[in-house]
Amino acid sequence: MSDPADRTAEAVPQGWRAALGPALATPEARQLGRWLRGQEADGRTIYPPRGSRLAALELTPLDAVRVVILGQDPYHGPGQAHGLAFSVAHGVKVPPSLMNIYKELRSDCGIEPPGHGNLEHWARQGVLLLNNALTVEAGQAGSHQNRGWDAITDAAVAAVAAKTEPCVFLLWGSHAKKKAMRVPGLGSSHHLVLTAPHPSPLSAHSGFLGCRHFSQANAFLETHGRGRIDW
């Protein structure tokens, strides 16, 4: 983990290092850092920018996680991605999937959209907004899948599943469900696992809208003495 050619491990927040250590020590993880630097050296634009790629882990330490929401890739448009799944930086137009998330929040909990797409306030309350791949090339959706991020983010999900405190896993779309299925025993554990179609415009009307995941998550957390999320 001290290989100067790969600083991925050193960048991981302290609260996650023990849980992610084995994944970070693999050849795939070490190669990931070298590959990313090579892509940038070739002039490719990578999102999100350096310094924000591990924002989900920085804002939501392992011991604070209460809810996990899994995404696939960071947004690949200019200025959008800032390290949190489904979230965009202040001043950036709210993407369609997040618009549908806000619609469901209004229907489920009576919460009006905030006028921006920044979900840091969720992350700071223990909502882990984790993408499967934590980087993407500009304009190239899925371009950094199967480059080494999977093992690291799988380990993060497994670390939450191993917690003794009950947590909620919100799995939207087939990709999130498949990722969670790689965690042994998650479906039969003491956690609450809720599934629905992805909130994208292509599938939101197939069951995401009306899923009532936000109220169910809060009811579960309150029942287990873990407090509500201020969505």
Side-chain angles (χ1 to χ4, degrees):
M1 290 173 62
S2 59
D3 182 356
D6 181 7
R7 301 180 183 87
T8 304
E10 287 79 353
V12 171
Q14 186 64 43
W16 285 94
R17 287 186 189 176
L20 303 186
L24 291 167
T26 62
E28 292 79 10
R30 293 180 180 277
Q31 176 59 29
L32 171 64
R34 290 189 288 269
W35 181 79
L36 285 171
R37 286 191 292 278
Q39 293 290 292
E40 291 173 323
D42 288 342
R44 300 177 188 272
T45 299
I46 306 299
Y47 296 134
R50 286 179 177 271
S52 59
R53 293 170 184 172
L54 301 180
L57 304 181
E58 292 168 357
L59 294 176
T60 313
L62 177 57
D63 61 6
V65 176
R66 293 189 283 165
V67 178
V68 177
I69 297 178
L70 298 177
Q72 187 166 352
D73 290 307
Y75 295 116
H76 54 81
Q80 291 181 301
H82 68 133
L84 304 177
F86 295 104
S87 178
V88 291
H90 282 290
V92 176
K93 182 179 179 181
V94 178
S97 291
L98 185 52
M99 286 291 290
N100 283 329
I101 290 172
Y102 284 164
K103 286 180 183 178
E104 178 57 22
L105 261 176
R106 178 193 289 144
S107 172
D108 186 15
C109 303
I111 298 173
E112 293 298 320
H116 62 79
N118 192 311
L119 301 179
E120 287 185 6
H121 64 296
W122 290 11
R124 295 183 189 279
Q125 294 178 76
V127 181
L128 180 63
L129 296 163
L130 187 69
N131 280 313
N132 183 55
L134 301 187
T135 55
V136 69
E137 183 178 345
Q140 302 292 326
S143 53
H144 289 188
Q145 296 290 341
N146 304 315
R147 287 291 182 176
W149 282 122
D150 305 66
I152 296 171
T153 55
D154 280 4
V157 175
V160 178
K163 286 164 62 79
T164 57
E165 304 93 341
C167 297
V168 181
F169 289 77
L170 303 183
L171 310 179
W172 301 334
S174 60
H175 191 276
K177 295 172 192 174
K178 289 176 182 176
K179 186 173 185 67
M181 284 174 60
R182 296 200 289 265
V183 179
L186 178 58
S188 59
S189 71
H190 56 291
H191 303 300
L192 176 64
V193 180
L194 299 175
T195 64
H198 195 276
S200 76
L202 295 175
S203 55
H205 291 279
S206 299
F208 175 78
L209 295 175
C211 69
R212 300 185 64 83
H213 279 187
F214 300 103
S215 59
Q216 290 183 68
N218 272 348
F220 178 85
L221 292 172
E222 285 192 301
T223 297
H224 291 86
R226 304 214 65 199
R228 298 172 60 84
I229 302 295
D230 179 13
W231 303 108

